Amino acid sequence: MTDQQDLAKTMLAEHALSLLEGHRVIGLGAGSTVMKVIDAIAASKRVLPTVIVASLATLDRCRSSGIEAELMQSVSHIDLYIDGADEVDSSFCCIKGKGGAMTGEKLCAEMAAEFIVLVDQTKLVQSLGSHWPVIAIEVVPWARSSVGRAIVKLGGKPALRAEKSDMGNEIIDCHGLDFAAPYTLSDRLNQITGVVAHGLFVHEKPTQVFSSDGNTVKALTIE
Ligand code: 5RP
């Protein structure tokens, strides 16, 4: 990450503070941008009513920052969910999951009335797959080979990650997939037996995206 990207994430995290007002159940995703949001909340000494997190690392960071937080298993609604992304296109379709937390992130996104994505501007793309062309797929352990074969049939190159997911499943990074029809690709991946969730967020798009170049924060509109 460059200094400018780091600065952009810090600005976005500060901006996120202004979005929290009036929301009772706040969801926090995963990754370095979200960690900065947690730092900003902790520094502001703001007490949030209920905080739901998408990953164990986020849970740890909240707790070590003095923010009470919990995982999502007993929650069915989130008022405002804040997360980062690896890529966002002009219609707000996203690639997420570089950090391997896409299942928790997708659960939160689906439960959220408002889903805010914060990205440094290098992650804004005209077409998906031009900056980070990798779809991370969480897979039940027994299905790792059969899912790998199905990915190859779709034209992708599967690579098994060394680390397991927070839920103890395998994670397969898929390179070489064709992003020309992202909704169809998402549906095909979801149909593979053994797939828990994947990092293509097209049916689960954010309602709002903010980007930063390290100097200002911009609210984006869907083209
Ligand atoms: C983790 C994610 C993250 O939101 C995504 O990788 C962006 O991370 P960062 O804020 O570190 O750039 O999807 O699974």
Side-chain angles (χ1 to χ4, degrees):
M1 178 166 46
T2 64
D3 288 352
Q4 204 63 18
Q5 285 170 300
D6 190 59
L7 201 57
K9 289 180 184 189
T10 305
M11 288 195 82
L12 289 161
E14 287 297 327
H15 181 72
L17 288 181
S18 67
L19 308 171
L20 302 173
E21 202 54 52
H23 297 290
R24 227 185 49 76
V25 185
I26 310 272
L28 296 174
S32 58
T33 312
V34 167
M35 296 304 165
K36 283 180 181 280
V37 173
I38 294 169
D39 294 346
I41 295 170
S44 74
K45 306 242 185 294
R46 203 165 169 150
V47 179
L48 302 179
T50 304
V51 176
I52 301 300
V53 296
S55 81
L56 293 177
T58 309
L59 186 65
D60 279 352
R61 182 66 157 253
C62 280
R63 290 185 173 161
S64 63
S65 306
I67 298 169
E68 263 185 52
E70 54 188 293
L71 291 165
M72 80 256 333
Q73 55 266 51
S74 52
V75 170
S76 59
H77 174 82
I78 290 175
D79 294 317
L80 176 74
Y81 176 55
I82 299 173
D83 204 351
D86 303 309
E87 262 195 3
V88 181
D89 79 3
S90 50
S91 64
F92 288 4
C93 288
C94 299
I95 294 178
K96 294 180 44 53
K98 199 173 184 176
M102 56 282 163
T103 301
E105 293 173 334
K106 210 168 249 193
L107 285 167
C108 287
E110 285 177 350
M111 281 193 273
E114 279 182 60
F115 172 22
I116 306 274
V117 158
L118 308 172
V119 282
D120 78 73
Q121 67 169 19
T122 64
K123 294 172 171 182
L124 301 176
V125 294
Q126 272 312 309
S127 45
L128 281 182
S130 28
H131 170 78
W132 180 250
V134 184
I135 303 296
I137 306 185
E138 179 159 350
V139 168
V140 297
W142 290 9
R144 76 173 191 214
S145 300
S146 59
V147 171
R149 197 173 55 231
I151 297 302
V152 171
K153 274 198 194 152
L154 286 177
K157 291 189 194 72
L160 190 66
R161 278 197 203 180
E163 317 81 44
K164 297 238 164 106
S165 75
D166 281 352
M167 296 167 213
N169 292 312
E170 307 279 4
I171 299 176
I172 300 177
D173 282 320
C174 301
H175 303 252
L177 289 168
D178 182 358
F179 292 93
Y183 286 85
T184 308
L185 177 59
S186 172
D187 294 343
R188 291 219 170 115
L189 295 173
N190 283 329
Q191 280 158 9
I192 301 171
T193 302
V195 167
V196 178
H198 59 76
L200 193 51
F201 282 50
V202 291
H203 295 295
E204 312 81 3
K205 293 199 292 194
T207 47
Q208 177 76 74
V209 176
F210 292 94
S211 78
S212 176
D213 58 1
N215 295 309
T216 53
V217 170
K218 258 198 231 163
L220 304 185
T221 45
I222 290 191
E223 278 173 20

